[in-house]
Amino acid sequence: MSEPILSVRQAIKTYGDFRALDAVNLDIREGEFLTLLGPSGSGKSTLLSAIAGFTALDSGVVHAKGDDITRLPPEKRGLAMVFQGYALFPTMSVAENVGYPLRVRKWSKAAIRERVTECLDLVQMGQFADRMPQQLSGGQQQRIALARALSFKPDVLLLDEPLSALDKQLRADLQWELKALHERLGVTFIYVTHDQDEALSMSDRIVILKDGAIQQEGAPNELYDWPRTRFVANFLGKSNCIEARMTGRDGDHLIAEAAGHRFAVHAGTGVAETGKGCLALRPERIRLGLPGDEPFTGRVKQISYLGERCQVLVDHDVLGEVLVSQPTWHSGVRPEPRMDVSFGWDAKACVALVDA
Ligand code: ADP
């Protein structure tokens, strides 16, 4: 594999007694859309800010294309940053805002004019060049902030929750636009968000942080399908947690026992092959049937209608509450509250977790 465009080694950052970053190692590949995802306070912004050069690490190093940039000031790192607040200069026009990084870098007037036009077109804001920031909506201001960040052709664009101040529909639109922009420009994006759907829909790779440490990283579908820990299984989508007894390995899968049934489960590296275990089971992987159709039997406790999907909470004597999610438009069983139903899943639909 080619050398990473950025790499972070053993990054530690403390605030008093508190470890905001706990020995983080991360490689960022050229051209990828990498997302740092985690709950509030997990260290995402601190990590991004350490990469950008705004936060000094206690120890650890940051490399850019092999060079140690740990002590380099932000403006010498070839990186650009977009924040949640749009941070446009209020007394400068849109064009002046976008051209600002170029004036600092002493570009000629003609080159600035040409590049500003190019960048405004890139974010579809060409006709707003002479407006002042306060004459723009939030979404438009964020587009300008993006154009300004891209103006000097940075190698890497760092984005810290850039859409979180916008309403839902606008967010969704800008998510598409950002993704398209990433594909068109080929610039490396490092994106911080606490929004799981945003991370899943936009990223090539997601890094999940908790308490200043990386829990798991991988492509969106990998993380969703094969979470390694209970935290990841629940943070990225919903999961049932099934307490089981692991009885050994059979080829590439493990055998688990729960509520009197034996079944094959998927196991990642580091999972205990025998003894008590915890299995993650996605609600949409569970089939519902009439009593007798499927191996487990329970009673419907609650139903929640979500338009395209319907969530059904089923009570089972041993497994407890099991959440099932099924498409509303289907020909299977139509659950009603207090109805007895059966449920089951395909072999390896369950994933054995490491932190059982
Ligand atoms: P996230 O971006 O995941 O929400 P942050 O990286 O902003 O998390 O913060 C991680 C932790 O470090 C939080 O608990 C936060 O309160 C703490 N922290 C961040 N910046 C400072 C600071 N300047 N002084 C003290 N604590 C801080």
Side-chain angles (χ1 to χ4, degrees):
M1 204 175 73
S2 61
E3 184 177 31
I5 190 163
L6 281 168
S7 76
V8 177
R9 284 288 167 273
Q10 292 297 316
I12 294 178
K13 177 70 192 174
T14 51
Y15 294 109
D17 291 341
F18 180 78
R19 263 200 181 194
L21 292 181
D22 193 5
V24 170
N25 290 310
L26 180 64
D27 284 334
I28 297 125
R29 296 189 274 271
E30 186 153 15
E32 78 173 327
F33 194 132
L34 179 95
T35 297
L36 305 176
L37 174 69
S40 176
S42 57
K44 307 179 294 292
S45 297
T46 305
L47 180 55
L48 195 75
S49 176
I51 292 171
F54 295 116
T55 294
L57 293 171
D58 299 358
S59 62
V61 283
V62 183
H63 281 101
K65 292 184 177 161
D67 295 331
D68 186 344
I69 59 162
T70 317
R71 314 228 169 277
L72 225 52
E75 66 277 9
K76 297 241 165 81
R77 296 189 176 204
L79 317 169
M81 186 132 174
V82 179
F83 300 93
Q84 176 181 344
Y86 320 116
L88 296 178
F89 303 115
T91 56
M92 290 184 198
S93 71
V94 160
E96 285 165 346
N97 262 284
V98 176
Y100 179 78
L102 308 179
R103 286 198 296 283
V104 172
R105 286 169 176 77
K106 309 256 187 291
W107 284 34
S108 75
K109 278 201 169 124
I112 293 178
R113 209 173 309 121
E114 190 181 328
R115 182 65 185 154
V116 165
T117 305
E118 217 170 82
C119 288
L120 286 177
D121 286 346
L122 209 56
V123 296
Q124 294 151 43
M125 291 291 289
Q127 71 273 40
F128 295 96
D130 298 326
R131 290 252 187 118
M132 298 305 283
Q134 65 271 22
Q135 295 174 303
L136 301 175
S137 70
Q140 290 170 331
Q141 288 188 45
Q142 196 54 301
R143 281 197 172 89
I144 301 305
L146 194 61
R148 185 178 59 184
L150 290 168
S151 65
F152 68 95
K153 303 186 178 172
D155 293 333
V156 181
L157 186 61
L158 310 176
L159 303 114
D160 193 355
E161 305 249 6
L163 308 182
S164 59
L166 308 174
D167 66 42
K168 199 171 165 208
Q169 186 56 48
L170 194 56
R171 257 181 107 126
D173 292 348
L174 278 174
Q175 282 170 12
W176 279 102
E177 282 182 35
L178 268 178
K179 181 91 183 126
L181 205 58
H182 171 257
E183 271 159 33
R184 192 140 41 106
L185 298 177
V187 173
T188 309
F189 277 32
I190 309 180
Y191 193 94
V192 162
T193 184
H194 63 274
D195 181 325
Q196 298 85 343
D197 293 335
E198 191 160 287
L200 284 171
S201 67
M202 298 174 82
S203 324
D204 296 322
R205 188 159 62 106
I206 301 175
V207 173
I208 298 189
L209 284 161
K210 178 179 180 254
D211 300 334
I214 295 178
Q215 281 265 314
Q216 192 175 353
E217 54 181 276
N221 63 315
E222 252 171 61
L223 290 185
Y224 186 84
D225 288 344
W226 317 122
R228 277 170 51 77
T229 65
R230 206 184 283 230
F231 175 79
V232 172
N234 284 309
F235 190 66
L236 212 56
K238 287 193 167 113
S239 263
N240 291 291
C241 178
I242 305 225
E243 304 294 343
R245 200 166 64 80
M246 315 304 293
T247 61
R249 178 172 284 278
D250 181 4
D252 65 348
H253 55 266
L254 300 183
I255 302 296
E257 272 182 22
H261 292 275
R262 278 168 72 88
F263 44 91
V265 302
H266 175 91
T269 45
V271 176
E273 297 187 5
T274 53
K276 268 175 71 169
C278 172
L279 310 176
L281 179 59
R282 295 282 182 205
E284 70 275 15
R285 294 188 186 177
I286 305 179
R287 287 187 306 270
L288 279 183
L290 295 170
D293 289 349
E294 300 285 350
F296 301 89
T297 305
R299 178 162 291 190
V300 175
K301 187 172 179 189
Q302 205 179 324
I303 298 177
S304 145
Y305 179 74
L306 301 171
E308 62 184 290
R309 300 197 73 78
C310 175
Q311 297 201 326
V312 187
L313 200 57
V314 180
D315 234 344
H316 182 274
D317 282 354
V318 178
L319 301 179
E321 287 181 355
V322 176
L323 185 68
V324 182
S325 171
Q326 59 176 19
T328 334
W329 187 261
H330 79 131
S331 55
V333 71
R334 301 251 155 228
E336 302 276 345
R338 291 176 297 285
M339 182 174 155
D340 282 340
V341 288
S342 65
F343 59 95
W345 52 84
D346 289 341
K348 296 199 245 178
C350 285
V351 184
L353 303 175
V354 290
D355 60 348

